[in-house]
Amino acid sequence: MHDRPSTGGTMTAAEPAHVDAAENRRRWQALGVGLVAAFMTLLDVSIVNVAVPSIDRALHASPSDLQWVLSGYALTFGLVLVPAGRFGDARGRRNAFVFGIALFTLTSALAGLATSPQWLVVARLLQGAAAGVVNPQVTGVIQQLFRGPERARPFGLLGATIGISTAVGPLLGGMLIAIGGEEHGWRWVFFVNVPVGIVAVILGWRLLPGRPAGASRHRFDPVGVLLLGVGVVLVLLPLVQEQQWRTPWKWALIPAGLAVLAAFGLWERRYARRGEPLFDLRLFTFRSYTLGSLIALIYFGGFTAIFFIFTLYLQNGLGYSPLVAGLAITPFALGSAAASALGGRIVNRFGRPLVAIGLLAVVVGLVATVIALHLAPHAPAPWVTAGPLLIAGIGSGLVIAPNQTLTLAQVPVPQSGSGAGMLQTGQRIGTAAGIAAVGSLFFSSLADSRGNWTTAFEHSLLLATGIIALALVAAMVDILRSRNHAEH
């Protein structure tokens, strides 16, 4: 692997170019539209968590239905990321973006109008697929409109969007339910996307770049699409259905999925000899891309699981309302927002050590959260955890945005959509695996401790912290290797 892009061939990243004032204003406006769309689609990963009790009462949904409402979105989201990214690379990001946002807006309305659990599940599956179409286009737009070091700031803003949308979802969900009422407030969790989506469609068509002149007109790789889709589904299904499928045979799907993904890699290498592959495996020759993707996969395994178990702990265990449960996570979101903006500006100066510092801060903040709850078991949990979660949020802001900047810095523009899609697919797999593992420990600890919610939360939070510590180890190994290479 190497750290610098090659100077020849198709794998060369574009160099910075002069941009006049009007064009500069237009590209920042295009970025703004993309960030709003990314926020909206990523928000729906977590915002529905606090609405589950209301959905249960309104639609009389079974536990399996509720699980599919939550996890079906993530499943189809991860399924279409790479093909959608490749489509945007080849046919223009504007077409893919507008189609994805239009579909997301329509399916959000359908979800809000649901009169049965089955209706809601189908709407969520389609909504997740639409989100998977949109997100690679946002990263691709940054790669296309910004060059070299100037990408740090827009990637910092995107990282802030990712971190804030995940953390603030329960708060916005709680507010909407409080405004709309316990019976119908959950519908506004979906309806709120509709006006925003309509505006995003209009502005996206006006501002995003169309198909570039001379873009390839090759046919898509149907075998690659099939192999990747089957592999991702086989890996994700037992993870998202971990609580519903009690049979141990479900875990056999994961090695089967990995085998299919290995076949996908072999096929893509063969296909690349005669055409444009769905995903260019040569991206993994860049150490920045490979290591950044690994860190993202591991970090999201611990990061997103925190909000899942914290919401359960506060609402079901301690009896707080959805609004208070959302407010309790706000310190993390605020810290993440502030640090993401800073991290995007300084990542080019500090590089991977900045990510390591962020990971260390997250680990320290989460361990401090466990200690605070243990030392003050009778104090209000939202107040006790506010300070430690603020530290963890600041650390998270120094992880997501800088790591994304470093990971995609060397990805050439013609592969930016599929490269970002593969990065986000890893994040979705990490998210599903982390929630399955941490959630499983949470429920087993709850049973073993005879309903002690604080003990269950502490044990599962320590597991999430351990997962994040693995990402810190990966970052430290890379830093040490880089220093040894520089010395020799």
Side-chain angles (χ1 to χ4, degrees):
M1 293 184 185
H2 50 82
D3 290 320
R4 295 184 179 182
S6 59
T7 57
T10 60
M11 296 298 292
T12 303
E15 295 298 322
H18 174 72
V19 179
D20 62 36
E23 185 63 27
N24 186 54
R25 183 169 58 252
R26 183 181 179 88
R27 66 178 183 165
W28 282 102
Q29 290 172 343
L31 174 66
V33 175
L35 292 179
V36 169
F39 181 86
M40 185 169 61
T41 55
L42 292 168
L43 185 72
D44 270 57
V45 175
S46 61
I47 193 173
V48 180
N49 285 334
V50 296
V52 164
S54 299
I55 294 172
D56 186 15
R57 288 190 293 271
L59 301 183
H60 307 290
S62 69
S64 179
D65 294 329
L66 295 174
Q67 182 65 24
W68 273 105
V69 168
L70 291 174
S71 59
Y73 183 89
L75 179 66
T76 52
F77 193 144
L79 184 62
V80 304
L81 280 166
V82 176
R86 190 73 196 102
F87 181 89
D89 290 338
R91 306 293 171 86
R93 313 209 187 280
R94 181 173 63 193
N95 294 337
F97 179 88
V98 170
F99 170 77
I101 284 294
L103 181 61
F104 186 84
T105 303
L106 175 62
T107 52
S108 295
L110 290 175
L113 294 170
T115 57
S116 69
Q118 294 75 24
W119 179 336
L120 183 57
V121 168
V122 172
R124 283 286 283 173
L125 290 171
L126 292 173
Q127 191 188 32
V133 172
V134 171
N135 275 269
Q137 317 312 326
V138 179
T139 309
V141 163
I142 294 175
Q143 296 284 87
Q144 184 174 342
L145 297 183
F146 299 86
R147 298 289 184 266
E150 67 177 358
R151 288 175 180 163
R153 187 181 174 196
F155 271 133
L157 293 172
L158 179 59
T161 300
I162 295 171
I164 295 170
S165 62
T166 305
V168 83
L171 172 60
L172 292 182
M175 291 175 63
L176 289 169
I177 291 171
I179 295 170
E182 284 292 320
E183 183 177 356
H184 296 294
W186 66 270
R187 297 185 185 276
W188 290 101
V189 168
F190 301 109
F191 285 148
V192 72
N193 294 327
V194 175
V196 180
I198 292 172
V199 173
V201 166
I202 296 170
L203 294 180
W205 184 259
R206 287 185 56 193
L207 296 171
L208 265 66
R211 180 172 178 161
S216 58
R217 296 178 178 273
H218 65 84
R219 67 184 180 88
F220 280 96
D221 173 12
V223 176
V225 172
L226 179 64
L227 288 173
L228 180 62
V230 171
V232 170
V233 168
L234 289 176
V235 170
L236 284 177
L237 259 182
L239 296 173
V240 300
Q241 288 289 286
E242 194 270 338
Q243 289 296 313
Q244 302 304 320
W245 293 358
R246 298 298 182 181
T247 172
W249 288 104
K250 65 189 174 189
W251 301 118
L253 294 178
I254 292 181
L258 294 176
V260 175
L261 291 176
F264 165 75
L266 294 173
W267 171 261
E268 290 300 285
R269 180 169 295 180
R270 176 186 174 189
Y271 192 88
R273 300 191 189 110
R274 55 189 175 89
E276 288 287 338
L278 180 65
F279 176 77
D280 197 329
L281 294 174
R282 289 180 296 172
L283 291 179
F284 286 121
T285 64
F286 295 125
R287 192 171 76 191
S288 60
Y289 186 81
T290 302
L291 184 80
S293 298
L294 177 64
I295 289 175
L297 185 150
I298 298 172
Y299 180 69
F300 272 75
F303 161 66
T304 48
I306 297 167
F307 309 110
F308 172 67
I309 58 174
F310 197 36
T311 302
L312 282 174
Y313 170 57
L314 292 173
Q315 286 190 255
N316 296 358
L318 303 184
Y320 288 105
S321 68
L323 180 57
V324 174
L327 284 170
I329 302 171
T330 302
F332 190 104
L334 293 175
S336 179
S340 293
L342 174 64
R345 291 177 180 272
I346 65 177
V347 62
N348 289 323
R349 189 189 314 168
F350 295 100
R352 192 72 65 189
L354 182 64
V355 177
I357 291 171
L359 289 166
L360 179 61
V362 176
V363 170
V364 169
L366 295 182
V367 171
T369 301
V370 173
I371 294 173
L373 287 171
H374 194 72
L375 294 179
H378 302 297
W383 287 108
V384 170
T385 59
L389 286 179
L390 177 63
I391 295 171
I394 291 171
S396 185
L398 296 178
V399 174
I400 296 177
N403 186 65
Q404 181 145 300
T405 302
L406 295 169
T407 304
L408 298 175
Q410 297 175 340
V411 175
V413 172
Q415 285 84 35
S416 58
S418 57
M422 187 62 76
L423 173 64
Q424 291 194 41
T425 299
Q427 292 173 358
R428 300 280 74 79
I429 291 174
T431 295
I435 290 176
V438 175
S440 178
L441 178 62
F442 182 88
F443 291 117
S444 63
S445 295
L446 189 62
D448 293 342
S449 62
R450 297 181 180 180
N452 189 321
W453 287 84
T454 300
T455 298
F457 177 66
E458 290 174 354
H459 289 173
S460 53
L461 186 59
L462 286 175
L463 175 58
T465 306
I467 294 171
I468 293 170
L470 292 177
L472 174 59
V473 170
M476 292 302 300
V477 168
D478 178 65
I479 293 169
L480 293 174
R481 285 181 59 187
S482 298
R483 288 181 178 176
N484 290 336
H485 181 73
E487 290 173 359
H488 295 86

